[in-house]
Amino acid sequence: VDRAVRYRQLVVENQSLLYYSPGATQVRAVPGLTDEGMNEIDRNVAFVRSRQYGLNASIDFQPTPDTRLYLKLNLGATRDVSNTWRSRIRGLDTFDPASTAVRQSGRRARLMYRPQHQEVYNPSMGFNLGGTTRFNRLKLTYQIAETFSVSNLHQRRISFDQPTTAVQQRYDWTVDRSNVWFPVVKLTERASGQEIFDRPQDLSLEAIRYWDWRKDDYKVVGRIDAERPFPGRFATMLKAGLKVDDRRRIQFDGLQDWASGASSTAATVMPGSLLPLNSYVPQGLFQGSVRTLGAQPNVDSWFEYLGKNRALFYDRTASAGNEYVYFKSNQFILKERVSSAYVM
């Protein structure tokens, strides 16, 4: 019998940098930029807790001198829980004419928050029963094996954005590319001098999303093989066998999107400061180039608020575009059975 329990914690930092092409209207009049005018900076930090459990057992026994049997059992499961902070600064616009490839500045930019909580749970179980039996010169080998595994994903995500062009235009921005791999970006509200990460009231709810995904895999394999030697001047070995492989997969995708308001034509503004923010704020990220990603809205608080105030939201799932079409088409039940035999 083997047992295993593993636990690990990870902090994963991801960064994506996009630049304008030299001919883009935003940078065409700034000769010092060439092809290094910053367009978008997408950063996220995920805190992941991972657990893995396993149990394996094997039994071999010989009921008669001509028969040997075995039984193998296995149970396992993995569970990953992650909390992700994500900020996406995009649409850097109205570049100052004096901007260079190293130091850039301008007016108007757009910030999006997309914090997320995700749980992935994958249990599995199976057995393998088989053996060999001899009848004089005839040898039989047989086996039946069954495995069942489930993959579950539950994801809750909220999206916040600067709601209007007027809000975006209140901000000045600077980009310091002294380190091209980890540029330092600041968005500062012109009137107050505060950075955008310290002003959740300037962000409004875009969507609350729940995604539920599940896949079940079931497999049964049975086989029997026989072999018998024929001695003599022209000795031969006759072999024959039969195998049946039965498989089934069920996959389900469930997606729901809610937005604030009575409908898409009667939307309301819910600022990011409406509910308590996350008490934990990641700081000193990306080799110190990012002071903070801000006290982002709390996922649990917003889902609780949605549950208690459903009349303040409308279901916009069907208007989620290509994602909705993908999720709807990614549900299926697949069954397959393959039988085979041989003689040689």
Side-chain angles (χ1 to χ4, degrees), residues 20 50 53 70 117 133 145 175 183 235 264 286 328 342:
Y20 288 110
S50 179
Y53 312 92
Y70 64 83
H117 176 81
T133 300
V175 177
S264 58
F286 299 95
K328 291 293 287 185
Y342 72 92

Side-chain angles (χ1 to χ4, degrees), residues 205 260-263 266-270 312:
L205 179 70
S260 58
S263 66
T268 57
V269 175
M270 290 187 176
L312 301 179

Side-chain angles (χ1 to χ4, degrees), residues 60-81:
D60 291 282
F61 56 104
Q62 191 169 358
T64 68
D66 296 322
T67 299
R68 188 178 187 90
L69 302 175
Y70 64 83
L71 174 63
K72 298 179 180 180
L73 302 172
N74 61 79
L75 297 171
T78 60
R79 185 181 185 88
D80 296 330
V81 179

Side-chain angles (χ1 to χ4, degrees), residues 40-115:
E40 177 179 311
I41 303 164
D42 193 346
R43 288 169 169 150
N44 67 76
V45 179
F47 295 83
V48 184
R49 298 191 307 274
S50 179
R51 293 179 175 87
Q52 182 177 355
Y53 312 92
L55 175 64
N56 298 299
S58 178
I59 303 173
D60 291 282
F61 56 104
Q62 191 169 358
T64 68
D66 296 322
T67 299
R68 188 178 187 90
L69 302 175
Y70 64 83
L71 174 63
K72 298 179 180 180
L73 302 172
N74 61 79
L75 297 171
T78 60
R79 185 181 185 88
D80 296 330
V81 179
S82 63
N83 290 291
T84 302
W85 280 255
R86 180 186 176 189
S87 72
R88 181 185 177 193
I89 300 173
R90 55 179 173 161
L92 298 179
D93 203 348
T94 318
F95 282 73
D96 290 333
S99 295
T100 65
V102 177
R103 300 187 184 278
Q104 305 169 20
S105 60
R107 295 171 176 249
R108 186 186 173 189
R110 186 176 182 181
L111 174 67
M112 181 202 73
Y113 272 159
R114 188 168 281 177

Side-chain angles (χ1 to χ4, degrees), residues 226-291:
E227 60 179 58
R228 186 185 188 283
F230 290 90
R233 183 177 178 182
F234 301 99
T236 60
M237 176 73 75
L238 178 64
K239 295 182 179 181
L242 175 66
K243 179 182 178 181
V244 177
D245 188 338
D246 191 47
R247 305 184 183 206
R248 183 179 63 203
R249 170 174 289 182
I250 302 174
Q251 185 162 303
F252 167 80
D253 264 316
L255 174 71
Q256 283 188 295
D257 255 14
W258 293 275
S260 58
S263 66
S264 58
T265 57
T268 57
V269 175
M270 290 187 176
S273 55
L274 178 66
L275 300 179
L277 304 175
N278 279 317
S279 57
Y280 175 72
V281 181
Q283 298 184 9
L285 308 169
F286 299 95
Q287 298 190 7
S289 64
V290 177
R291 177 181 67 85

